[in-house]
Structures are given as structure tokens and as C-alpha cells.
Amino acid sequence: MRMTIFFRTMLLLFADLVLLYIFVDAFLRGRFANWVVGFLDRVVFRDYNRALDLYQQVFRNYMEWFMAFAFFAVFLVSLWIYLKSFTKYFYEINRGIDALVEELSGEIILSPELALTERKINHIRHTLERRKSEAAAAEQRKNDLVVYLAHDLKTPLTSVIGYLTLLRDEGQISEELREKYLSISLEKAERLEDLINEFFEITRFSLSSITLEYSNVNLTRLLEQLTYEFRPMLLEKNLSCSLEAAPDIPLRCDVNQMQRVFDNLLRNAVNYSFEGGTIRICVQQEGEQLRISFFNRGNTIPKEKLDRIFEQFYRLDSARSSRSGGAGLGLAIAKEIVELHQGTIAARSEDESIEFEVTIPGGAA
């Protein structure tokens, strides 16, 4: 593009100089005068002296003005040609932008001089198309999930109503049977609560944005408290949890949000662990970075699912009858929170081993 502009400018300047030289040479050497006088003599007056006198009065006495006009005319023509050679590039770029706005299919093609701009516009087009496709897929997953949840709400609700109706209507019911009905009703009510919480989780994710409020925290103590709170869930699957971390590791972060990340990762490990196994939480200091890893033994996650595991509303276990997994937002939220802390999160799985690794800037202010 730069070379094209340079050569066009030099060519235009050369053409201007040639035109001016021809005009000035014609005046200085009398060629213009001979042509004008000859024309007036042959066509108008048929008198050489009268023709010469008219030329003297009209042209020679005002030669400076004619020279100035000639220079000005050449300048205007040159400027018009020069600007026209540039404005066509702007028209092409505008057409390319219009194609982006109108979401026209096909590659956007510009002049060879605008090859770099063409690549950038097409890159933007591909990026917008990809984001639109991802948003549509996420919206479809969300809609499907809402439909599934709405359907699933009926099952536990029907059970709760049915067993409570039996308790109300059965006058001579044994204590053992009453205890059984109450236990089932409580279990179904808890499942109902979980489903309703999933609805709220979807709504919160759609309507709110995550903002960080930094403070200093002892990471080791935070993880110890988290493992203690998960004891009931661990006992249900006969799991144990070990924490491998140096004492009193300082961390500056949004404590509530980072606790939300670790809660999601530990909950995920519990849901997808083999019964009777051990969940390991390892914390390593690597320079200015902290690496927090969650290990558990479970079914190997296929690569195609591992690549999508952090997508919104993507559930590793798509079967709605399973109690494992939620709205498919936990890992997506965790990824967003970690990235807001200028960190990264990754997942690996092979040979019935699953690892989630969080890397964030360590230390405290």
C-alpha cells in the first residue's frame, strides 16, 4: 500500500511537470502565439495585423494571469485524480464494514493494496460468526436445561404431595410406616430444593456480572475449612479428602468468589469420584504463582467433553435422572472468576484420573 501510494504520487508529479513544461514552452517559444494569431487570421479577421493586435491586447498583456490560471488548473486536476485514487479504498472498506453489519456470507475481498485490512476484516467476521454460534448454542443448552428442570420438578413434587396426603388420610398408620413416608417426603423435598436452586443459579448467571473485592486470606485455612464443610457429602460416598499445602499460605483475592471456585471444583470431584476413593488438594508455590490442583479417581472424561467442560450450561452428565451435576454453570463460573483474578484454569483426565488445576498470582499485599 505504501509503495503504491509512493509510485502514484511520483507519477502524478511527473505528469504535472510535463504538462507545465509543455504549456510554458509553448508560451516562451511563441508556439501558442503563432497558433492563436494564425487561427484569428484565417478564421475570424483574414487580416494578419488585426489578428496580431487582438492577440497582443487579450493574451500577451495578461500573460501572467494565464500562467497563473494554467498552474491552478493543473493543480486542481492533479488533486482530483490524486484524491480519487485514495477514496476508492475508503469505499471498499465501507463495503466491507457493511458486509459485516449485514452479516453477508462469503469472504470480503478488497484491492491487493488493502490485503492486510482484508485479512483483519475477515478475521473479525469469522470471530463474530463464531461468537454468534457459541451464544446460540449456549442459549439452546440453557433453554433445554430449563425445559428439563421444569419437567423434573414434577416428579419430586408429586411424591411429596402423595406421601403427605397418605400421612394425613391414614388414621391407623404404624410409626414405622410414618417414619418411612416422612423420610421419603424429606428426600424428595430436598431434591426439589436442589432443582429450584438450579433455576436461581441460571437466573443469577444471566442477570448479574461478577465484580471482585480484594482482601488478604490464608489459603491453607480457607481450604481446610472447605474440606471440613464437605464432610457430610464425602461420607455419603465413603470418600476421604487430603490437603497437601504448606501452613499459612497468603493470598490476595476476592475471598467469597475464590471460595466459590474451590467449592465448585471440590463438589465436582465428589460427584464424579469412585466410591471409597480419596480426593487430593495440592497447593504449590511456583515463583509468584500459586498452583492449586484437585485430583480424584473417576471415569475418564473423553477429550471431546473435556474441551467443552468450561462452557456455559454444559453438563458432563447429560442424563437428567442423575443427581450428579447441576445447571452446567459451576465450572463456567469458576473459569470466569479465575480469569478475573488474572489466572488460568485447566482440566485433564486420563487412566481414570481427573485433575482440575487453578493457577493464580500468589502472595498478599
Side-chain angles (χ1 to χ4, degrees):
M1 180 69 175
R2 185 180 301 172
M3 294 301 297
T4 301
I5 294 174
F6 174 76
F7 283 121
R8 285 186 179 179
T9 304
M10 296 302 296
L11 180 62
L12 193 61
L13 289 174
F14 178 76
D16 289 346
L17 291 175
V18 170
L19 289 173
L20 288 174
Y21 173 79
I22 292 173
F23 186 79
V24 172
D25 181 70
F27 264 105
L28 294 179
R29 295 180 181 273
R31 295 172 185 171
F32 180 75
N34 293 336
W35 182 85
V36 173
V37 172
F39 174 81
L40 293 175
D41 179 30
R42 291 190 303 271
V43 177
V44 181
F45 299 114
R46 299 187 181 278
D47 185 336
Y48 179 80
N49 291 328
R50 290 184 62 188
L52 182 62
D53 184 60
L54 181 62
Y55 172 80
Q56 179 74 26
Q57 295 178 12
V58 175
F59 291 98
R60 184 173 295 277
N61 291 342
Y62 300 98
M63 183 172 293
E64 293 82 0
W65 288 99
F66 280 103
M67 292 288 290
F69 175 79
F71 276 108
F72 186 67
V74 171
F75 172 76
L76 287 180
V77 172
S78 300
L79 182 62
W80 183 81
I81 296 173
Y82 195 65
L83 292 178
K84 185 178 180 180
S85 66
F86 287 113
T87 52
K88 74 169 188 175
Y89 295 132
F90 293 104
Y91 292 142
E92 288 188 31
I93 294 173
N94 285 334
R95 286 199 302 270
I97 294 174
D98 290 339
L100 283 180
V101 174
E102 297 172 7
E103 299 181 354
L104 299 179
S105 60
E107 293 291 308
I108 296 170
I109 300 175
L110 305 178
S111 296
E113 296 84 0
L114 298 173
L116 181 60
T117 304
E118 176 185 306
R119 287 195 296 270
K120 288 183 177 180
I121 291 178
N122 281 312
H123 175 70
I124 293 172
R125 188 178 68 84
H126 293 314
T127 301
L128 292 175
E129 288 178 351
R130 186 182 70 254
R131 289 179 179 176
K132 181 180 179 180
S133 176
E134 291 173 352
E139 185 65 22
Q140 184 60 48
R141 288 196 300 271
K142 174 183 174 181
N143 293 337
D144 292 343
L145 182 62
V146 170
V147 172
Y148 294 148
L149 284 172
H151 180 269
D152 284 357
L153 283 171
K154 297 179 181 179
T155 303
L157 183 59
T158 301
S159 297
V160 169
I161 294 173
Y163 283 108
L164 290 179
T165 301
L166 286 174
L167 288 171
R168 183 194 65 184
D169 296 341
E170 289 288 341
Q172 302 296 326
I173 189 171
S174 66
E175 193 63 33
E176 181 181 353
L177 199 56
R178 182 186 300 274
E179 183 68 26
K180 179 182 178 180
Y181 288 172
L182 286 174
S183 177
I184 295 174
S185 298
L186 179 60
E187 181 184 351
K188 298 299 181 180
E190 289 173 347
R191 177 57 180 157
L192 188 61
E193 182 185 30
D194 291 339
L195 292 171
I196 292 172
N197 286 336
E198 289 188 33
F199 268 120
F200 282 126
E201 189 176 10
I202 295 171
T203 304
R204 285 197 304 269
F205 191 85
S206 301
L207 300 180
S208 63
S209 59
I210 299 174
T211 56
L212 302 182
E213 297 180 3
Y214 282 88
S215 61
N216 296 326
V217 66
N218 187 320
L219 178 61
T220 309
R221 299 289 175 266
L222 178 64
L223 292 173
E224 286 176 349
Q225 179 182 348
L226 182 67
T227 57
Y228 179 80
E229 293 173 355
F230 267 77
R231 280 186 180 180
M233 287 186 63
L234 294 168
L235 290 174
E236 284 184 11
K237 296 186 67 172
N238 193 26
L239 295 170
S240 61
C241 184
S242 66
L243 175 61
E244 302 171 16
D248 304 325
I249 299 176
L251 175 65
R252 179 167 178 76
C253 64
D254 186 312
V255 179
N256 291 330
Q257 298 294 353
M258 194 54 65
Q259 185 174 1
R260 190 178 182 186
V261 172
F262 299 145
D263 182 282
N264 283 332
L265 294 180
L266 186 52
R267 188 179 304 275
N268 190 77
V270 172
N271 287 334
Y272 296 101
S273 284
F274 293 141
E275 289 194 14
T278 300
I279 298 173
R280 294 172 49 232
I281 305 175
C282 302
V283 183
Q284 294 177 312
Q285 180 87 45
E286 297 181 358
E288 296 182 353
Q289 299 290 316
L290 280 174
R291 194 181 303 276
I292 305 102
S293 302
F294 291 74
F295 299 91
N296 68 282
R297 300 286 297 175
N299 291 323
T300 303
I301 304 174
K303 186 180 184 304
E304 60 272 15
K305 290 189 175 183
L306 206 60
D307 293 339
R308 301 183 58 193
I309 203 166
F310 294 106
E311 292 181 11
Q312 301 171 19
F313 307 109
Y314 182 77
R315 299 180 79 251
L316 188 60
D317 184 358
S318 58
R320 291 303 310 172
S321 59
S322 172
R323 291 180 64 92
S324 63
L329 283 173
L331 293 177
I333 293 172
K335 182 176 186 290
E336 182 176 352
I337 293 172
V338 170
E339 290 180 347
L340 285 173
H341 282 84
Q342 308 304 314
T344 59
I345 185 171
R348 289 180 281 272
S349 180
E350 59 182 8
D351 300 328
E352 295 187 334
S353 176
I354 302 172
E355 176 191 0
F356 282 87
E357 182 182 87
V358 174
T359 303
I360 53 175

